[in-house]
Amino acid sequence: MDLKLAGKSALVTGSTAGIGLAIAERLAAEGVDVVISGRNQEKLDAAAAQVAASSANGGKVRAVLADPATAEGAEALIAAAPEVDILVNNLGIYEAKPFTEITDADWHHFFEVNVVSGARLARHYFPKMLAKNWGRVIFIASESALVIPGEMIHYGMTKTAQLAIARGLAEQTRGTGVTVNSVMPGPTRSEGIVEFIRSVVDNKDAPEAEREAEFFTKMRPLSLIRRLIEADEIAAQVALLASPLGAITNGAAIRVEGGIVPTIA
């Protein structure tokens, strides 16, 4: 299917691995000029080569060494790409930690990385999208925004905050060609997920498949698909939302394995 994205431009944050890299690859394959960002030059160069190999229909890739979790990093990204048609706020961190051990510094760090980074970029790009009457802002949130995991409450808090920002922005798009949506993946196979699952299951020495099964049985019993999502499956959803063909979806929080749910539930 032609998603009618050729010639568009996009910025994908947190795009040197996992979901962000898969999104950048999928958009490049649709002919989008993609800007990727990261904090490590070696990983950034490798990701840029991978995205370039996926490009089609004249789509180009640019790599910017910058961290939008800092004001300086966001400024560097904006300077490198003053205008984009599609903003994908994917940058995020997570960890399992007992609530009583989450420090003030942890709360501030998670909020800065997962929430403020996207707000900074949206503050710049969103008005420009409204001015030209076309654009897409997509937050990569998590099912943890609605089903708060007891083992990482600070992470869940940031994902709920992303939904609030996205919905508030969507309210300002009425009658325009701009949409703002959130995607809420369940646990997704990406860098670090294997060790994360090992850290929260009881039988840490079991084979990987058994640890994954225990994780879904005990930690994510409401999962419908009962497996890790693949990063390119998320990328396909994001590409559709970014496309002109996805114009009727606005202000939604899309739970990838469970359908569309209200932003606030």
Side-chain angles (χ1 to χ4, degrees):
M1 178 185 294
D2 179 6
L3 294 181
K4 312 297 182 184
L5 280 168
K8 300 293 187 185
S9 61
L11 167 59
V12 184
T13 65
S15 40
T16 60
I19 293 172
L21 177 55
I23 291 170
E25 288 184 279
R26 178 58 67 102
L27 292 177
E30 293 290 337
V32 177
D33 291 336
V34 182
V35 176
I36 64 173
S37 67
R39 298 178 299 172
N40 179 286
Q41 188 66 61
E42 185 176 351
K43 292 181 67 175
L44 192 59
D45 290 343
Q50 192 167 327
V51 174
S54 302
S55 66
N57 301 320
K60 303 177 182 66
V61 59
R62 283 192 294 151
V64 181
L65 185 67
D67 180 7
T70 68
E72 297 77 14
E75 289 173 3
L77 269 177
I78 290 168
E83 293 194 26
V84 295
D85 299 306
I86 302 157
L87 170 63
V88 182
N89 284 315
N90 171 71
L91 178 64
I93 56 175
Y94 65 93
E95 67 174 351
K97 199 168 194 178
F99 175 74
T100 55
E101 296 178 15
I102 303 172
T103 65
D104 287 359
D106 291 333
W107 285 106
H108 286 291
H109 182 53
F110 268 71
F111 194 78
E112 192 78 13
V113 175
N114 291 3
V115 181
V116 181
S117 64
R120 284 190 180 106
L121 296 176
R123 185 170 58 209
H124 173 81
Y125 293 113
F126 182 65
K128 293 179 176 292
M129 293 176 184
L130 290 178
K132 65 184 179 183
N133 199 35
W134 203 94
R136 301 285 185 264
V137 179
I138 301 170
F139 286 83
I140 306 302
S142 166
E143 64 169 12
S144 296
L146 299 180
V147 185
I148 307 296
E151 74 276 8
M152 46 183 184
I153 294 172
H154 52 335
Y155 171 76
M157 172 274 299
T158 64
K159 294 302 169 178
T160 305
Q162 285 182 320
L163 300 191
I165 294 172
R167 181 65 195 190
L169 291 177
E171 290 292 332
Q172 301 177 50
T173 66
R174 296 177 187 274
T176 75
V178 179
T179 67
V180 185
N181 293 291
S182 301
V183 175
M184 301 190 299
T188 303
R189 195 180 309 280
S190 61
E191 191 173 317
I193 192 67
V194 172
E195 287 308 309
F196 169 73
I197 290 177
R198 187 194 298 273
S199 74
V200 297
V201 298
D202 294 329
N203 190 356
K204 302 182 187 306
D205 296 323
E208 183 177 338
E210 291 182 20
R211 294 198 304 270
E212 184 175 324
E214 180 186 340
F215 174 77
F216 280 98
T217 298
K218 295 182 177 179
M219 310 296 289
R220 296 294 185 273
L222 299 181
S223 172
L224 298 180
I225 63 173
R226 310 293 286 180
R227 65 168 175 84
L228 291 174
I229 300 170
E230 301 299 332
D232 60 358
E233 293 176 308
I234 306 299
Q237 298 289 325
V238 171
L240 178 59
L241 287 175
S243 165
L245 303 184
I248 62 170
T249 304
N250 192 15
I254 300 174
R255 187 172 179 181
V256 173
E257 65 166 275
I260 298 178
V261 299
T263 299
I264 302 299

